[in-house]
């Protein structure tokens, strides 16, 4: 049975979360999780350099086969979005530098994959991850950035082997309209 290591990243400019899981067959287990605290660095470029260094260090330590990264959500503060996008780009660059395939997931997709609810709270995601990965309370990360990163890795694990259809639907009504031959008509 081959093992696959997935690195999850929750990019940030103050706290960057990471989570590493091991997948053997259809079983996933947490290997590591934590945060990179960037709050003490004032210079935004030093923060980006630290993100690159730390992601590289995590890659060197755990040798992941793939990386799953949380996509930034669109907020009202443009400056925050730019900073977050830069941090995400630097983390992606570290993975590219190590020839690691990258998979990006929207926060909604991660929450849906783990809890079945796209509007679940960070605490609900953390609670479900502790059950899914059999993590004891003492071993759960203190920062939700770390569980968000673990969630990105677990979401990717859930997506493995499930090819996405080329057809997308906006809801049941759209599905029915596009699949008339599959709908049973009542007499």
């Amino acid at each position: 049975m081959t093992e696959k290591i997935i690195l999850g990243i929750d990019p940030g400019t103050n706290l960057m979360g990471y989570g590493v899981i091991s997948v053997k067959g259809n079983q996933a287990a947490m290997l590591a999780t934590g945060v990179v605290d960037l709050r003490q660095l004032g210079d935004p470029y030093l923060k980006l350099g630290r993100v690159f260094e730390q992601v590289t260090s995590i890659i060197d330590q755990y040798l992941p086969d793939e990386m799953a990264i949380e996509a930034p959500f669109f907020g009202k503060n443009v400056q925050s979005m730019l900073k977050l996008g830069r941090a995400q780009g630097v983390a992606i660059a570290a993975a590219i530098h190590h020839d690691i395939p990258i998979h990006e997931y929207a926060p909604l997709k991660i929450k849906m994959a783990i809890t079945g609810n796209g509007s679940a709270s960070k605490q609900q995601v953390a609670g479900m991850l502790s059950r899914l990965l059999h993590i004891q309370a003492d071993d759960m990360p203190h920062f939700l950035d770390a569980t968000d990163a673990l969630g990105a890795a677990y979401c990717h694990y859930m997506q493995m082997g499930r090819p996405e259809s080329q057809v997308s639907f906006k809801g049941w009504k759209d599905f029915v309209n596009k699949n008339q031959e599959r709908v049973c008509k009542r007499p």
Side-chain angles (χ1 to χ4, degrees):
M1 184 180 314
T2 61
E3 179 183 34
K4 180 177 273 201
I5 306 295
I6 303 170
L7 167 61
I9 296 287
D10 178 32
T13 55
N14 288 321
L15 293 173
M16 180 196 77
Y18 67 90
V20 183
I21 64 172
S22 166
V23 177
K24 293 179 185 170
N26 64 352
Q27 296 285 17
M30 180 184 78
L31 294 179
T33 187
V35 294
V36 176
D37 191 344
L38 305 163
R39 295 176 292 190
Q40 73 280 7
L41 299 172
D43 186 295
Y45 301 109
L46 289 178
K47 288 183 178 190
L48 295 175
R50 181 70 51 85
V51 167
F52 187 86
E53 289 169 2
Q54 292 300 305
V55 172
T56 295
S57 175
I58 294 164
I59 290 169
D60 289 342
Q61 182 174 358
Y62 294 100
L63 305 172
D65 299 291
E66 300 185 39
M67 183 174 89
I69 189 163
E70 185 173 305
F73 62 92
F74 298 101
K76 293 180 181 178
N77 187 329
V78 176
Q79 286 301 315
S80 294
M81 288 300 303
L82 286 171
K83 290 175 185 175
L84 188 57
R86 287 176 178 167
Q88 182 194 35
V90 168
I92 289 171
I96 290 170
H97 183 73
H98 288 83
D99 295 320
I100 297 172
I102 301 145
H103 306 273
E104 186 176 29
Y105 296 100
L108 179 98
K109 175 101 173 172
I110 295 170
K111 291 176 182 182
M112 278 297 285
I114 294 166
T115 68
N117 177 4
S119 60
S121 70
K122 289 176 177 282
Q123 290 83 358
Q124 289 171 316
V125 171
M128 186 59 82
L129 283 169
S130 73
R131 287 189 284 286
L132 292 168
L133 293 169
H134 309 289
I135 304 169
Q136 300 300 320
D138 293 344
D139 295 329
M140 279 302 287
H142 300 292
F143 289 100
L144 293 173
D145 306 85
T147 52
D148 283 353
L150 197 59
Y154 195 83
C155 176
H156 182 61
Y157 157 69
M158 297 284 292
Q159 300 303 309
M160 289 172 21
R162 297 182 186 178
E164 290 192 22
S165 169
Q166 296 300 320
V167 181
S168 64
F169 305 103
K170 295 178 183 162
W172 281 110
K173 189 174 183 178
D174 188 35
F175 174 83
V176 169
N177 287 337
K178 291 179 180 175
N179 291 279
Q180 288 295 312
E181 73 284 354
R182 297 173 74 182
V183 177
C184 295
K185 305 284 185 195
R186 291 192 179 177

